[in-house]
Amino acid sequence: MSSKVPARNTSSSARPRPAPMYSSTGLDVWTMMNQVSASVDAVNLGQGYMSFPPRDFIKRAAQDAFVEDTHNQYAPPRGRQHLLDQIASRFSQKFGRPIDSSSEVSIHAGANEALLSVFTAFLEVGQNQEAILIEPAFDQYTPNVIMAGGKPVYVPLRVATAKDPASEVISSSDWKLDMDELEAAISPKTRILVLNTPHNPVGKVFSRSELEAIADVSRRHNLLVVSDEVYEHLTYGAEHISIATLPGMWERTITVGSAGKLFGVTGWRVGWAVGPQDLIQPTLAAHTRIVFTTNTPLQEGVASAFKQAASNGFFDSQREEYQQRRNRLMEIFDDVGLPYVVPDGAYYLLVNAAAIKIPDTYEFPPFIEPRGPNFKLVYFFIKEFGVSGIPPTEFYSDEHKPLANDYIRFAFCKTDQGLEDASKRLQKLKQYLQS
């Protein structure tokens, strides 16, 4: 006599149900603020994409790759050899050690997929293993850790200066990682520490002494360091040091990079991971199951762009251009009377808008109201001044969101005309400054 498996729900109104992680997610911050910006035709200094085209040699590299008949099929999961060789050559010089392109490099569908692959490879599902995230932390870190089966644990950077950030300009180097706080966050289940330098959104470039302290903790607790260095070439007077170059750290570090950030082509979605074979091999295995491979023609385009950039001075001239944009945006906020955090790297400016008084009777839409005071501040900024930013509380866990309530993140990877348009519009905010 056969038995039937009972139906879970025989009601005609029953519907498939998503997993809890995705069932109650609201509109992501990028889409939300872009929609608000579009509603008032705001100058978009929010999302970190470039509002100017890439250099001609970069575009030609992609065009040439697309017309080559052999570039239209699957690439090997590890990546196209041309790009693997370029990455290995660059990091051999940078790290002062030979990098084997056949075992110590993997190519990914952007830096974000590289991060997900690392987390998937090194966080065991069902074991509640932990990854330390230094806040503010790029908003993809947390969901990536959770999707990989891990548990994020948060340690915030804290402003350590005698200055008042609400009324005085401070440096990104004033944002410090409390090493005692970091030690206290580590448990027997901790497996990974995620480091971002140069840092988004603070613009902090971790100093050698800071990296040495992090390295010491990582070695003593046997942690894998995932070093997100997508802004490695965008520094302004500060020295960018890869933690993998410190004693005993090559063996426990995976360094992640991005062609999108380096060449101003965020839509190409080509990234990489570099590290010792015993760390890259499992990362590659996870990558193979997540996306299998990265698109062929743009891998070739990136490889060609790297080869040309080595001799045409691109990275130096790009840095100079970004520094000019950074300085202009700082001048704009000096003029309107809002202090900020001077970034030593990346292309974001954190502005402290605590001095802005939002009228008590100001009405916020239902999608903003429950998101807290920082989202209200940014919404008010966009709607009333016509310049968009991003609420940095999105880069914090709930416990630490109050640390960012007064800040707005602006991106300066924008045209000169866009910055000048923003300057004109921001004059209006002077009437909302509290004395």
Side-chain angles (χ1 to χ4, degrees):
M1 184 177 180
S2 63
S3 60
K4 293 183 178 180
V5 177
R8 286 178 297 172
N9 191 330
T10 58
S11 168
S12 60
S13 62
R15 294 290 186 272
R17 299 178 63 181
M21 181 176 176
Y22 301 102
S23 62
S24 60
T25 54
L27 197 63
D28 71 90
V29 65
W30 316 104
T31 303
M32 178 188 296
M33 294 306 168
N34 282 340
Q35 289 180 355
V36 176
S37 298
S39 72
V40 294
D41 194 25
V43 177
N44 194 334
L45 304 185
Q47 196 167 0
Y49 63 83
M50 296 72 187
S51 63
F52 46 84
R55 300 277 183 90
D56 286 344
F57 83 91
I58 299 170
K59 292 187 290 186
R60 283 196 301 270
Q63 291 167 349
D64 292 345
F66 273 108
V67 298
E68 169 56 52
D69 288 344
T70 62
H71 296 168
N72 291 293
Q73 306 305 325
Y74 293 125
R78 182 181 292 277
R80 294 281 294 188
Q81 194 59 51
H82 188 192
L83 181 55
L84 290 167
D85 289 342
Q86 286 294 318
I87 298 296
S89 175
R90 291 184 71 252
F91 278 88
S92 293
Q93 297 176 29
K94 180 178 178 180
F95 286 0
R97 63 181 302 130
I99 304 296
D100 187 343
S101 65
S102 68
S103 61
E104 296 177 331
V105 182
S106 55
I107 306 302
H108 295 265
N112 187 46
E113 189 265 313
L115 292 165
L116 176 60
S117 294
V118 175
F119 298 150
T120 301
F122 288 93
L123 294 171
E124 190 174 350
V125 175
Q127 298 302 308
N128 210 30
Q129 294 176 344
E130 298 170 352
I132 301 288
L133 305 182
I134 299 171
E135 295 179 309
F138 181 53
D139 70 330
Q140 291 283 19
Y141 293 167
T142 288
N144 280 359
V145 168
I146 294 172
M147 284 192 294
K151 175 185 176 183
V153 175
Y154 305 97
V155 180
L157 295 172
R158 297 188 184 275
V159 176
T161 175
K163 294 182 177 180
D164 177 9
S167 60
E168 298 177 86
V169 172
I170 65 173
S171 170
S172 56
S173 63
D174 292 327
W175 292 59
K176 302 289 188 181
L177 179 63
D178 186 315
M179 299 310 297
D180 291 335
E181 199 169 357
L182 175 60
E183 288 269 10
I186 296 172
S187 79
K189 290 184 174 292
T190 309
R191 297 292 183 270
I192 292 174
L193 186 151
V194 180
L195 174 68
N196 178 208
T197 183
H199 187 275
N200 170 21
V202 175
K204 178 182 179 66
V205 178
F206 282 78
S207 68
R208 181 176 294 277
S209 61
E210 289 174 317
L211 293 175
E212 287 173 343
I214 294 170
D216 176 63
V217 170
S218 302
R219 288 190 297 263
R220 285 191 286 105
H221 294 279
N222 191 28
L223 302 182
L224 167 66
V225 174
V226 182
S227 191
D228 180 350
E229 301 183 15
V230 298
Y231 302 101
E232 61 178 289
H233 277 292
L234 294 175
T235 57
Y236 317 111
E239 180 187 10
H240 168 62
I241 300 168
S242 292
I243 195 169
T245 63
L246 299 186
M249 291 307 295
W250 163 256
E251 296 82 2
R252 62 177 63 256
T253 302
I254 295 176
T255 303
V256 173
S258 162
K261 298 301 192 294
L262 287 187
F263 290 110
V265 288
T266 58
W268 287 19
R269 310 307 299 149
V270 176
W272 49 84
V274 177
Q277 181 175 358
D278 62 331
L279 301 184
I280 293 300
Q281 188 56 45
T283 299
L284 174 59
H287 159 79
T288 304
R289 295 307 169 207
I290 293 170
V291 295
F292 179 57
T293 187
T294 305
N295 80 84
T296 296
L298 291 179
Q299 286 193 58
E300 292 292 334
V302 171
S304 176
F306 267 129
K307 190 172 183 179
Q308 295 177 69
S311 60
N312 67 13
F314 168 71
F315 292 121
D316 289 337
S317 63
Q318 177 184 240
R319 181 185 297 111
E320 292 173 2
E321 292 170 2
Y322 272 85
Q323 185 160 353
Q324 291 171 5
R325 295 185 183 103
R326 179 199 71 157
N327 293 347
R328 179 58 186 133
L329 190 57
M330 292 192 299
E331 290 173 354
I332 289 169
F333 281 102
D334 285 335
D335 177 59
V336 299
L338 288 182
Y340 47 82
V341 180
V342 179
D344 288 331
Y347 47 62
Y348 306 103
L349 188 71
L350 275 184
V351 173
N352 192 307
I356 290 194
K357 173 61 176 176
I358 300 175
D360 294 336
T361 57
Y362 198 85
E363 295 185 359
F364 295 94
F367 65 88
I368 290 290
E369 188 69 41
R371 302 296 289 268
N374 193 229
F375 271 68
K376 291 180 179 180
L377 175 64
V378 175
Y379 177 85
F380 179 79
F381 221 91
I382 298 172
K383 294 291 281 191
E384 298 305 315
F385 310 141
V387 178
S388 69
I390 290 294
T393 53
E394 193 71 1
F395 293 54
Y396 284 87
S397 58
D398 289 344
E399 177 186 359
H400 298 136
K401 285 185 188 297
L403 294 173
N405 274 341
D406 293 333
Y407 288 97
I408 304 175
R409 191 200 80 167
F410 296 98
F412 52 85
C413 50
K414 308 298 177 181
T415 62
D416 293 342
Q417 184 60 55
L419 295 178
E420 295 312 314
D421 289 346
S423 177
K424 294 174 184 177
R425 296 184 183 205
L426 288 171
Q427 296 301 313
K428 184 180 177 182
L429 75 74
K430 294 178 180 179
Q431 64 185 288
Y432 291 96
L433 294 178
Q434 301 178 87
S435 58

